Amino acid sequence: MHSTLISAPELQRLMDSGAPLRIYDCSFDLMDPQAGRAQYETRHIAGAIHADLDTHLSDKAGPDRASGGRHPLPSRERLARWLGRTGLTPGVQAIVYDRQGANYCGRLWWMLKWCGHEAVAVLDGGLQAWLEAGGATDSGPGPALPDEAAAYPLGPARVGTASTREIASRIGEPGLTLIDARANARFRGEVEPLDPVAGHIPGALNRPFSENLGPDGRFKPAEQLRAEFRALLGQRDPATVVHHCGSGVSAIPNLLAMEVAGLGTARLYPGSWSEWCNTPGVPCARSQVPA
C-alpha cells in the first residue's frame, strides 16, 4: 500500500500487475477555473478520472459544507457519494496527481484520508514525471461516471482539522504552531490577489508550499525535509502544528511533506486565511520585509 508518495515507475508496476486502482487527475488553475478540465482533456494518464477543485473537491453553496473560506470542504457524505460514482471502494489503491507541483492533488489526498481511506498516494513529480517515464496517456473527456452508485463507506477520519474558533482562542499558546503555506509576499501582506484583507494570522510561521519540491518537481528527500521543518519549528513540537494557506488547498503539500519527513500527521485549518480574514473580530498581522 502506498499512503504518501508514489513514483512513476512504481505506478507503472502497479498498473502492469493488474492491481485495482483509481487514478485522479486534479489539475486546476485558480485564475482560470476551466483550465484544469481543458488540460485533462488534452492529456491525462490512461484511465484517470478528472477531479475538479471547484466541482468535486469544494462545496460553495451546500448547507452542510464542512468549512468556510474560498474553497469550503464538502461534507464527508457528499464527497462519499462522488467517490462511489468513481468506483472507489475501501482498500483500493488511489493515486492522485496534477501538473501544478502537487498544489491541487494534495487536496484529494487529504480528503480521502479524511473519509477514512488510507491507500492514497500523490504521484511524485505529477504528470511531468509520468511523461518522462514513458507512461501511457489518453485524451478526451475520460471515463463516464454513473449517475447513481453506492456511496463510499465512510470510516473514521485519519486526519484532523482545526477551526477558526479554536485558533482564535489559542493564539500565542505553546501548544499551537501555525504554518502558512502562501508565498512570502502574501504572508507579509505586501500583496493579496484573492482575499479582501492582506496579511497573516498573528504568530504564524511561513513556509511556501513550493519549498517542498526540488528542481525536478519531485518532493525533496525525507532527510532534507525533516531538517528544513526542524529549522523552521525550532523548539516547537511537530505535534502542535496546524497547516493553513489561502483556502485550505496549498497547505497540504506542507502537511504531506511533514509526513514524508517522519514528523507525524499534522492538522489542517481548512478555511485558512480566506475564512480567517472574513471573520469579524479576529486579529490580522503584517510583516516587514526582512533587511
Side-chain angles (χ1 to χ4, degrees), residues 68-103:
R70 278 184 286 104
H71 292 105
L73 285 175
S75 67
R76 294 203 317 156
E77 292 74 19
R78 172 173 168 160
L79 179 61
R81 290 193 293 272
W82 178 73
L83 292 173
R85 291 178 59 222
T86 71
L88 185 70
T89 55
V92 169
Q93 180 69 60
I95 307 297
V96 299
Y97 75 91
D98 59 33
R99 298 158 171 79
Q100 291 85 21
N103 188 7

PDB file of all heavy atoms in Angstrom, residues 68-103:
ATOM      1  N   GLY A  68     -15.526  26.946   5.977  1.00  0.00           N
ATOM      2  CA  GLY A  68     -15.756  28.174   5.245  1.00  0.00           C
ATOM      3  C   GLY A  68     -14.605  28.441   4.300  1.00  0.00           C
ATOM      4  O   GLY A  68     -13.867  27.540   3.912  1.00  0.00           O
ATOM      5  N   GLY A  69     -14.432  29.706   3.930  1.00  0.00           N
ATOM      6  CA  GLY A  69     -13.346  30.080   3.039  1.00  0.00           C
ATOM      7  C   GLY A  69     -13.731  29.999   1.575  1.00  0.00           C
ATOM      8  O   GLY A  69     -14.866  29.699   1.210  1.00  0.00           O
ATOM      9  N   ARG A  70     -12.746  30.275   0.727  1.00  0.00           N
ATOM     10  CA  ARG A  70     -12.998  30.307  -0.725  1.00  0.00           C
ATOM     11  C   ARG A  70     -13.256  28.929  -1.311  1.00  0.00           C
ATOM     12  O   ARG A  70     -13.892  28.795  -2.363  1.00  0.00           O
ATOM     13  CB  ARG A  70     -11.822  30.966  -1.442  1.00  0.00           C
ATOM     14  CG  ARG A  70     -11.863  32.485  -1.434  1.00  0.00           C
ATOM     15  CD  ARG A  70     -10.748  33.103  -2.232  1.00  0.00           C
ATOM     16  NE  ARG A  70      -9.454  33.010  -1.574  1.00  0.00           N
ATOM     17  CZ  ARG A  70      -8.487  32.171  -1.898  1.00  0.00           C
ATOM     18  NH1 ARG A  70      -8.639  31.331  -2.904  1.00  0.00           N
ATOM     19  NH2 ARG A  70      -7.347  32.173  -1.231  1.00  0.00           N
ATOM     20  N   HIS A  71     -12.714  27.883  -0.702  1.00  0.00           N
ATOM     21  CA  HIS A  71     -12.943  26.514  -1.174  1.00  0.00           C
ATOM     22  C   HIS A  71     -13.437  25.663  -0.004  1.00  0.00           C
ATOM     23  O   HIS A  71     -12.699  24.832   0.525  1.00  0.00           O
ATOM     24  CB  HIS A  71     -11.669  25.922  -1.780  1.00  0.00           C
ATOM     25  CG  HIS A  71     -11.254  26.572  -3.061  1.00  0.00           C
ATOM     26  ND1 HIS A  71     -10.200  27.452  -3.138  1.00  0.00           N
ATOM     27  CD2 HIS A  71     -11.790  26.507  -4.309  1.00  0.00           C
ATOM     28  CE1 HIS A  71     -10.097  27.891  -4.381  1.00  0.00           C
ATOM     29  NE2 HIS A  71     -11.046  27.342  -5.108  1.00  0.00           N
ATOM     30  N   PRO A  72     -14.692  25.869   0.405  1.00  0.00           N
ATOM     31  CA  PRO A  72     -15.202  25.128   1.558  1.00  0.00           C
ATOM     32  C   PRO A  72     -15.194  23.623   1.320  1.00  0.00           C
ATOM     33  O   PRO A  72     -15.527  23.148   0.216  1.00  0.00           O
ATOM     34  CB  PRO A  72     -16.637  25.644   1.702  1.00  0.00           C
ATOM     35  CG  PRO A  72     -16.685  26.932   0.930  1.00  0.00           C
ATOM     36  CD  PRO A  72     -15.705  26.771  -0.176  1.00  0.00           C
ATOM     37  N   LEU A  73     -14.813  22.883   2.336  1.00  0.00           N
ATOM     38  CA  LEU A  73     -14.892  21.433   2.225  1.00  0.00           C
ATOM     39  C   LEU A  73     -16.351  21.014   2.093  1.00  0.00           C
ATOM     40  O   LEU A  73     -17.215  21.506   2.823  1.00  0.00           O
ATOM     41  CB  LEU A  73     -14.319  20.765   3.469  1.00  0.00           C
ATOM     42  CG  LEU A  73     -12.807  20.734   3.647  1.00  0.00           C
ATOM     43  CD1 LEU A  73     -12.473  20.139   5.012  1.00  0.00           C
ATOM     44  CD2 LEU A  73     -12.137  19.944   2.540  1.00  0.00           C
ATOM     45  N   PRO A  74     -16.631  20.073   1.188  1.00  0.00           N
ATOM     46  CA  PRO A  74     -17.968  19.478   1.200  1.00  0.00           C
ATOM     47  C   PRO A  74     -18.107  18.608   2.445  1.00  0.00           C
ATOM     48  O   PRO A  74     -17.108  18.264   3.097  1.00  0.00           O
ATOM     49  CB  PRO A  74     -17.972  18.631  -0.075  1.00  0.00           C
ATOM     50  CG  PRO A  74     -16.537  18.257  -0.278  1.00  0.00           C
ATOM     51  CD  PRO A  74     -15.738  19.443   0.210  1.00  0.00           C
ATOM     52  N   SER A  75     -19.317  18.239   2.772  1.00  0.00           N
ATOM     53  CA  SER A  75     -19.486  17.261   3.842  1.00  0.00           C
ATOM     54  C   SER A  75     -18.848  15.935   3.417  1.00  0.00           C
ATOM     55  O   SER A  75     -18.715  15.654   2.218  1.00  0.00           O
ATOM     56  CB  SER A  75     -20.967  17.045   4.139  1.00  0.00           C
ATOM     57  OG  SER A  75     -21.608  16.410   3.042  1.00  0.00           O
ATOM     58  N   ARG A  76     -18.475  15.133   4.384  1.00  0.00           N
ATOM     59  CA  ARG A  76     -17.914  13.817   4.053  1.00  0.00           C
ATOM     60  C   ARG A  76     -18.950  12.998   3.279  1.00  0.00           C
ATOM     61  O   ARG A  76     -18.585  12.228   2.383  1.00  0.00           O
ATOM     62  CB  ARG A  76     -17.489  13.072   5.318  1.00  0.00           C
ATOM     63  CG  ARG A  76     -16.340  13.715   6.063  1.00  0.00           C
ATOM     64  CD  ARG A  76     -15.574  12.721   6.943  1.00  0.00           C
ATOM     65  NE  ARG A  76     -16.431  11.818   7.695  1.00  0.00           N
ATOM     66  CZ  ARG A  76     -16.037  10.631   8.143  1.00  0.00           C
ATOM     67  NH1 ARG A  76     -14.820  10.194   7.897  1.00  0.00           N
ATOM     68  NH2 ARG A  76     -16.865   9.870   8.831  1.00  0.00           N
ATOM     69  N   GLU A  77     -20.225  13.140   3.615  1.00  0.00           N
ATOM     70  CA  GLU A  77     -21.268  12.367   2.939  1.00  0.00           C
ATOM     71  C   GLU A  77     -21.388  12.747   1.465  1.00  0.00           C
ATOM     72  O   GLU A  77     -21.543  11.874   0.599  1.00  0.00           O
ATOM     73  CB  GLU A  77     -22.598  12.577   3.657  1.00  0.00           C
ATOM     74  CG  GLU A  77     -22.678  11.982   5.045  1.00  0.00           C
ATOM     75  CD  GLU A  77     -21.886  12.756   6.091  1.00  0.00           C
ATOM     76  OE1 GLU A  77     -21.552  13.946   5.842  1.00  0.00           O
ATOM     77  OE2 GLU A  77     -21.583  12.185   7.154  1.00  0.00           O
ATOM     78  N   ARG A  78     -21.303  14.044   1.181  1.00  0.00           N
ATOM     79  CA  ARG A  78     -21.369  14.467  -0.223  1.00  0.00           C
ATOM     80  C   ARG A  78     -20.152  13.937  -0.981  1.00  0.00           C
ATOM     81  O   ARG A  78     -20.280  13.428  -2.103  1.00  0.00           O
ATOM     82  CB  ARG A  78     -21.426  15.992  -0.313  1.00  0.00           C
ATOM     83  CG  ARG A  78     -21.311  16.508  -1.738  1.00  0.00           C
ATOM     84  CD  ARG A  78     -21.526  17.997  -1.842  1.00  0.00           C
ATOM     85  NE  ARG A  78     -21.138  18.489  -3.155  1.00  0.00           N
ATOM     86  CZ  ARG A  78     -21.531  19.624  -3.673  1.00  0.00           C
ATOM     87  NH1 ARG A  78     -22.347  20.410  -3.000  1.00  0.00           N
ATOM     88  NH2 ARG A  78     -21.117  20.015  -4.866  1.00  0.00           N
ATOM     89  N   LEU A  79     -18.966  14.048  -0.389  1.00  0.00           N
ATOM     90  CA  LEU A  79     -17.774  13.528  -1.047  1.00  0.00           C
ATOM     91  C   LEU A  79     -17.892  12.030  -1.261  1.00  0.00           C
ATOM     92  O   LEU A  79     -17.517  11.509  -2.319  1.00  0.00           O
ATOM     93  CB  LEU A  79     -16.543  13.855  -0.200  1.00  0.00           C
ATOM     94  CG  LEU A  79     -15.201  13.342  -0.742  1.00  0.00           C
ATOM     95  CD1 LEU A  79     -14.894  13.937  -2.111  1.00  0.00           C
ATOM     96  CD2 LEU A  79     -14.079  13.661   0.234  1.00  0.00           C
ATOM     97  N   ALA A  80     -18.436  11.301  -0.276  1.00  0.00           N
ATOM     98  CA  ALA A  80     -18.567   9.849  -0.385  1.00  0.00           C
ATOM     99  C   ALA A  80     -19.453   9.456  -1.557  1.00  0.00           C
ATOM    100  O   ALA A  80     -19.213   8.437  -2.225  1.00  0.00           O
ATOM    101  CB  ALA A  80     -19.118   9.278   0.914  1.00  0.00           C
ATOM    102  N   ARG A  81     -20.472  10.262  -1.828  1.00  0.00           N
ATOM    103  CA  ARG A  81     -21.341   9.948  -2.966  1.00  0.00           C
ATOM    104  C   ARG A  81     -20.577  10.076  -4.279  1.00  0.00           C
ATOM    105  O   ARG A  81     -20.729   9.230  -5.182  1.00  0.00           O
ATOM    106  CB  ARG A  81     -22.564  10.871  -2.956  1.00  0.00           C
ATOM    107  CG  ARG A  81     -23.529  10.577  -1.804  1.00  0.00           C
ATOM    108  CD  ARG A  81     -24.865  11.282  -1.997  1.00  0.00           C
ATOM    109  NE  ARG A  81     -24.763  12.737  -1.902  1.00  0.00           N
ATOM    110  CZ  ARG A  81     -24.863  13.417  -0.763  1.00  0.00           C
ATOM    111  NH1 ARG A  81     -25.045  12.780   0.387  1.00  0.00           N
ATOM    112  NH2 ARG A  81     -24.804  14.746  -0.766  1.00  0.00           N
ATOM    113  N   TRP A  82     -19.754  11.130  -4.408  1.00  0.00           N
ATOM    114  CA  TRP A  82     -18.972  11.275  -5.641  1.00  0.00           C
ATOM    115  C   TRP A  82     -17.919  10.175  -5.753  1.00  0.00           C
ATOM    116  O   TRP A  82     -17.726   9.590  -6.823  1.00  0.00           O
ATOM    117  CB  TRP A  82     -18.305  12.651  -5.687  1.00  0.00           C
ATOM    118  CG  TRP A  82     -17.451  12.818  -6.905  1.00  0.00           C
ATOM    119  CD1 TRP A  82     -17.866  12.993  -8.198  1.00  0.00           C
ATOM    120  CD2 TRP A  82     -16.024  12.783  -6.962  1.00  0.00           C
ATOM    121  NE1 TRP A  82     -16.792  13.085  -9.055  1.00  0.00           N
ATOM    122  CE2 TRP A  82     -15.637  12.956  -8.310  1.00  0.00           C
ATOM    123  CE3 TRP A  82     -15.023  12.643  -5.997  1.00  0.00           C
ATOM    124  CZ2 TRP A  82     -14.306  12.979  -8.715  1.00  0.00           C
ATOM    125  CZ3 TRP A  82     -13.690  12.673  -6.401  1.00  0.00           C
ATOM    126  CH2 TRP A  82     -13.342  12.832  -7.743  1.00  0.00           C
ATOM    127  N   LEU A  83     -17.249   9.849  -4.655  1.00  0.00           N
ATOM    128  CA  LEU A  83     -16.246   8.786  -4.684  1.00  0.00           C
ATOM    129  C   LEU A  83     -16.873   7.460  -5.110  1.00  0.00           C
ATOM    130  O   LEU A  83     -16.268   6.685  -5.859  1.00  0.00           O
ATOM    131  CB  LEU A  83     -15.585   8.637  -3.313  1.00  0.00           C
ATOM    132  CG  LEU A  83     -14.695   9.797  -2.867  1.00  0.00           C
ATOM    133  CD1 LEU A  83     -14.241   9.582  -1.427  1.00  0.00           C
ATOM    134  CD2 LEU A  83     -13.489   9.964  -3.790  1.00  0.00           C
ATOM    135  N   GLY A  84     -18.093   7.196  -4.622  1.00  0.00           N
ATOM    136  CA  GLY A  84     -18.772   5.979  -5.035  1.00  0.00           C
ATOM    137  C   GLY A  84     -19.029   5.954  -6.536  1.00  0.00           C
ATOM    138  O   GLY A  84     -18.889   4.910  -7.188  1.00  0.00           O
ATOM    139  N   ARG A  85     -19.376   7.093  -7.106  1.00  0.00           N
ATOM    140  CA  ARG A  85     -19.609   7.163  -8.549  1.00  0.00           C
ATOM    141  C   ARG A  85     -18.323   6.912  -9.329  1.00  0.00           C
ATOM    142  O   ARG A  85     -18.364   6.431 -10.469  1.00  0.00           O
ATOM    143  CB  ARG A  85     -20.188   8.528  -8.923  1.00  0.00           C
ATOM    144  CG  ARG A  85     -21.619   8.756  -8.428  1.00  0.00           C
ATOM    145  CD  ARG A  85     -22.108  10.145  -8.792  1.00  0.00           C
ATOM    146  NE  ARG A  85     -22.065  10.349 -10.228  1.00  0.00           N
ATOM    147  CZ  ARG A  85     -21.655  11.469 -10.822  1.00  0.00           C
ATOM    148  NH1 ARG A  85     -21.227  12.501 -10.086  1.00  0.00           N
ATOM    149  NH2 ARG A  85     -21.648  11.568 -12.136  1.00  0.00           N
ATOM    150  N   THR A  86     -17.166   7.238  -8.743  1.00  0.00           N
ATOM    151  CA  THR A  86     -15.892   6.980  -9.429  1.00  0.00           C
ATOM    152  C   THR A  86     -15.443   5.531  -9.282  1.00  0.00           C
ATOM    153  O   THR A  86     -14.437   5.145  -9.881  1.00  0.00           O
ATOM    154  CB  THR A  86     -14.771   7.893  -8.898  1.00  0.00           C
ATOM    155  OG1 THR A  86     -14.394   7.489  -7.570  1.00  0.00           O
ATOM    156  CG2 THR A  86     -15.190   9.361  -8.902  1.00  0.00           C
ATOM    157  N   GLY A  87     -16.151   4.769  -8.467  1.00  0.00           N
ATOM    158  CA  GLY A  87     -15.809   3.355  -8.308  1.00  0.00           C
ATOM    159  C   GLY A  87     -14.827   3.051  -7.208  1.00  0.00           C
ATOM    160  O   GLY A  87     -14.364   1.910  -7.084  1.00  0.00           O
ATOM    161  N   LEU A  88     -14.511   4.035  -6.379  1.00  0.00           N
ATOM    162  CA  LEU A  88     -13.569   3.775  -5.290  1.00  0.00           C
ATOM    163  C   LEU A  88     -14.246   2.976  -4.179  1.00  0.00           C
ATOM    164  O   LEU A  88     -15.363   3.297  -3.770  1.00  0.00           O
ATOM    165  CB  LEU A  88     -13.028   5.088  -4.726  1.00  0.00           C
ATOM    166  CG  LEU A  88     -11.944   4.929  -3.655  1.00  0.00           C
ATOM    167  CD1 LEU A  88     -10.653   4.416  -4.273  1.00  0.00           C
ATOM    168  CD2 LEU A  88     -11.693   6.253  -2.930  1.00  0.00           C
ATOM    169  N   THR A  89     -13.562   1.954  -3.701  1.00  0.00           N
ATOM    170  CA  THR A  89     -14.023   1.164  -2.570  1.00  0.00           C
ATOM    171  C   THR A  89     -12.880   1.014  -1.576  1.00  0.00           C
ATOM    172  O   THR A  89     -11.701   1.193  -1.927  1.00  0.00           O
ATOM    173  CB  THR A  89     -14.496  -0.236  -3.013  1.00  0.00           C
ATOM    174  OG1 THR A  89     -13.430  -0.881  -3.737  1.00  0.00           O
ATOM    175  CG2 THR A  89     -15.725  -0.149  -3.902  1.00  0.00           C
ATOM    176  N   PRO A  90     -13.169   0.707  -0.310  1.00  0.00           N
ATOM    177  CA  PRO A  90     -12.106   0.583   0.690  1.00  0.00           C
ATOM    178  C   PRO A  90     -11.053  -0.439   0.263  1.00  0.00           C
ATOM    179  O   PRO A  90     -11.365  -1.509  -0.259  1.00  0.00           O
ATOM    180  CB  PRO A  90     -12.866   0.116   1.940  1.00  0.00           C
ATOM    181  CG  PRO A  90     -14.245   0.646   1.761  1.00  0.00           C
ATOM    182  CD  PRO A  90     -14.511   0.548   0.292  1.00  0.00           C
ATOM    183  N   GLY A  91      -9.802  -0.093   0.492  1.00  0.00           N
ATOM    184  CA  GLY A  91      -8.705  -0.989   0.165  1.00  0.00           C
ATOM    185  C   GLY A  91      -8.140  -0.811  -1.226  1.00  0.00           C
ATOM    186  O   GLY A  91      -7.009  -1.235  -1.490  1.00  0.00           O
ATOM    187  N   VAL A  92      -8.892  -0.197  -2.138  1.00  0.00           N
ATOM    188  CA  VAL A  92      -8.377   0.047  -3.487  1.00  0.00           C
ATOM    189  C   VAL A  92      -7.350   1.165  -3.431  1.00  0.00           C
ATOM    190  O   VAL A  92      -7.585   2.206  -2.816  1.00  0.00           O
ATOM    191  CB  VAL A  92      -9.523   0.401  -4.456  1.00  0.00           C
ATOM    192  CG1 VAL A  92      -8.977   0.915  -5.783  1.00  0.00           C
ATOM    193  CG2 VAL A  92     -10.411  -0.808  -4.695  1.00  0.00           C
ATOM    194  N   GLN A  93      -6.213   0.954  -4.080  1.00  0.00           N
ATOM    195  CA  GLN A  93      -5.172   1.982  -4.105  1.00  0.00           C
ATOM    196  C   GLN A  93      -5.626   3.159  -4.964  1.00  0.00           C
ATOM    197  O   GLN A  93      -5.975   2.999  -6.132  1.00  0.00           O
ATOM    198  CB  GLN A  93      -3.861   1.422  -4.653  1.00  0.00           C
ATOM    199  CG  GLN A  93      -2.730   2.417  -4.723  1.00  0.00           C
ATOM    200  CD  GLN A  93      -2.232   2.822  -3.349  1.00  0.00           C
ATOM    201  OE1 GLN A  93      -1.780   1.998  -2.578  1.00  0.00           O
ATOM    202  NE2 GLN A  93      -2.289   4.117  -3.055  1.00  0.00           N
ATOM    203  N   ALA A  94      -5.637   4.351  -4.371  1.00  0.00           N
ATOM    204  CA  ALA A  94      -5.946   5.577  -5.105  1.00  0.00           C
ATOM    205  C   ALA A  94      -4.653   6.338  -5.359  1.00  0.00           C
ATOM    206  O   ALA A  94      -3.774   6.403  -4.488  1.00  0.00           O
ATOM    207  CB  ALA A  94      -6.929   6.445  -4.323  1.00  0.00           C
ATOM    208  N   ILE A  95      -4.536   6.909  -6.541  1.00  0.00           N
ATOM    209  CA  ILE A  95      -3.386   7.727  -6.935  1.00  0.00           C
ATOM    210  C   ILE A  95      -3.918   9.081  -7.381  1.00  0.00           C
ATOM    211  O   ILE A  95      -4.859   9.147  -8.177  1.00  0.00           O
ATOM    212  CB  ILE A  95      -2.597   7.084  -8.098  1.00  0.00           C
ATOM    213  CG1 ILE A  95      -2.219   5.636  -7.778  1.00  0.00           C
ATOM    214  CG2 ILE A  95      -1.359   7.933  -8.420  1.00  0.00           C
ATOM    215  CD1 ILE A  95      -1.293   5.458  -6.599  1.00  0.00           C
ATOM    216  N   VAL A  96      -3.322  10.148  -6.884  1.00  0.00           N
ATOM    217  CA  VAL A  96      -3.734  11.495  -7.275  1.00  0.00           C
ATOM    218  C   VAL A  96      -2.534  12.233  -7.856  1.00  0.00           C
ATOM    219  O   VAL A  96      -1.397  12.030  -7.434  1.00  0.00           O
ATOM    220  CB  VAL A  96      -4.325  12.270  -6.082  1.00  0.00           C
ATOM    221  CG1 VAL A  96      -5.561  11.547  -5.538  1.00  0.00           C
ATOM    222  CG2 VAL A  96      -3.314  12.450  -4.961  1.00  0.00           C
ATOM    223  N   TYR A  97      -2.795  13.094  -8.837  1.00  0.00           N
ATOM    224  CA  TYR A  97      -1.700  13.855  -9.440  1.00  0.00           C
ATOM    225  C   TYR A  97      -2.263  15.128 -10.049  1.00  0.00           C
ATOM    226  O   TYR A  97      -3.473  15.300 -10.224  1.00  0.00           O
ATOM    227  CB  TYR A  97      -0.968  13.022 -10.500  1.00  0.00           C
ATOM    228  CG  TYR A  97      -1.714  12.867 -11.798  1.00  0.00           C
ATOM    229  CD1 TYR A  97      -1.533  13.765 -12.858  1.00  0.00           C
ATOM    230  CD2 TYR A  97      -2.620  11.819 -11.980  1.00  0.00           C
ATOM    231  CE1 TYR A  97      -2.221  13.624 -14.055  1.00  0.00           C
ATOM    232  CE2 TYR A  97      -3.325  11.668 -13.172  1.00  0.00           C
ATOM    233  CZ  TYR A  97      -3.123  12.576 -14.204  1.00  0.00           C
ATOM    234  OH  TYR A  97      -3.817  12.450 -15.385  1.00  0.00           O
ATOM    235  N   ASP A  98      -1.355  16.042 -10.389  1.00  0.00           N
ATOM    236  CA  ASP A  98      -1.708  17.236 -11.142  1.00  0.00           C
ATOM    237  C   ASP A  98      -0.504  17.664 -11.965  1.00  0.00           C
ATOM    238  O   ASP A  98       0.459  16.910 -12.113  1.00  0.00           O
ATOM    239  CB  ASP A  98      -2.231  18.363 -10.231  1.00  0.00           C
ATOM    240  CG  ASP A  98      -1.230  18.794  -9.157  1.00  0.00           C
ATOM    241  OD1 ASP A  98      -0.004  18.750  -9.413  1.00  0.00           O
ATOM    242  OD2 ASP A  98      -1.669  19.188  -8.058  1.00  0.00           O
ATOM    243  N   ARG A  99      -0.565  18.879 -12.487  1.00  0.00           N
ATOM    244  CA  ARG A  99       0.541  19.468 -13.250  1.00  0.00           C
ATOM    245  C   ARG A  99       1.123  20.671 -12.523  1.00  0.00           C
ATOM    246  O   ARG A  99       1.918  21.394 -13.095  1.00  0.00           O
ATOM    247  CB  ARG A  99       0.029  19.933 -14.624  1.00  0.00           C
ATOM    248  CG  ARG A  99      -0.510  18.857 -15.532  1.00  0.00           C
ATOM    249  CD  ARG A  99      -1.438  19.476 -16.564  1.00  0.00           C
ATOM    250  NE  ARG A  99      -1.840  18.552 -17.605  1.00  0.00           N
ATOM    251  CZ  ARG A  99      -2.784  17.625 -17.463  1.00  0.00           C
ATOM    252  NH1 ARG A  99      -3.434  17.494 -16.314  1.00  0.00           N
ATOM    253  NH2 ARG A  99      -3.100  16.827 -18.485  1.00  0.00           N
ATOM    254  N   GLN A 100       0.691  20.903 -11.296  1.00  0.00           N
ATOM    255  CA  GLN A 100       0.985  22.155 -10.594  1.00  0.00           C
ATOM    256  C   GLN A 100       1.750  21.924  -9.285  1.00  0.00           C
ATOM    257  O   GLN A 100       1.464  22.538  -8.268  1.00  0.00           O
ATOM    258  CB  GLN A 100      -0.324  22.914 -10.328  1.00  0.00           C
ATOM    259  CG  GLN A 100      -0.999  23.468 -11.567  1.00  0.00           C
ATOM    260  CD  GLN A 100      -1.911  22.459 -12.272  1.00  0.00           C
ATOM    261  OE1 GLN A 100      -2.363  21.480 -11.693  1.00  0.00           O
ATOM    262  NE2 GLN A 100      -2.177  22.701 -13.547  1.00  0.00           N
ATOM    263  N   GLY A 101       2.689  21.007  -9.298  1.00  0.00           N
ATOM    264  CA  GLY A 101       3.542  20.814  -8.138  1.00  0.00           C
ATOM    265  C   GLY A 101       2.817  20.290  -6.916  1.00  0.00           C
ATOM    266  O   GLY A 101       3.135  20.676  -5.786  1.00  0.00           O
ATOM    267  N   ALA A 102       1.849  19.401  -7.112  1.00  0.00           N
ATOM    268  CA  ALA A 102       1.063  18.785  -6.027  1.00  0.00           C
ATOM    269  C   ALA A 102       0.195  19.796  -5.295  1.00  0.00           C
ATOM    270  O   ALA A 102      -0.337  19.504  -4.230  1.00  0.00           O
ATOM    271  CB  ALA A 102       1.961  18.033  -5.040  1.00  0.00           C
ATOM    272  N   ASN A 103       0.020  20.972  -5.858  1.00  0.00           N
ATOM    273  CA  ASN A 103      -0.774  22.011  -5.211  1.00  0.00           C
ATOM    274  C   ASN A 103      -2.236  21.590  -5.062  1.00  0.00           C
ATOM    275  O   ASN A 103      -2.859  21.835  -4.026  1.00  0.00           O
ATOM    276  CB  ASN A 103      -0.694  23.307  -6.024  1.00  0.00           C
ATOM    277  CG  ASN A 103      -1.332  24.494  -5.317  1.00  0.00           C
ATOM    278  OD1 ASN A 103      -1.738  24.411  -4.167  1.00  0.00           O
ATOM    279  ND2 ASN A 103      -1.412  25.615  -6.017  1.00  0.00           N
TER     280      ASN A 103
END
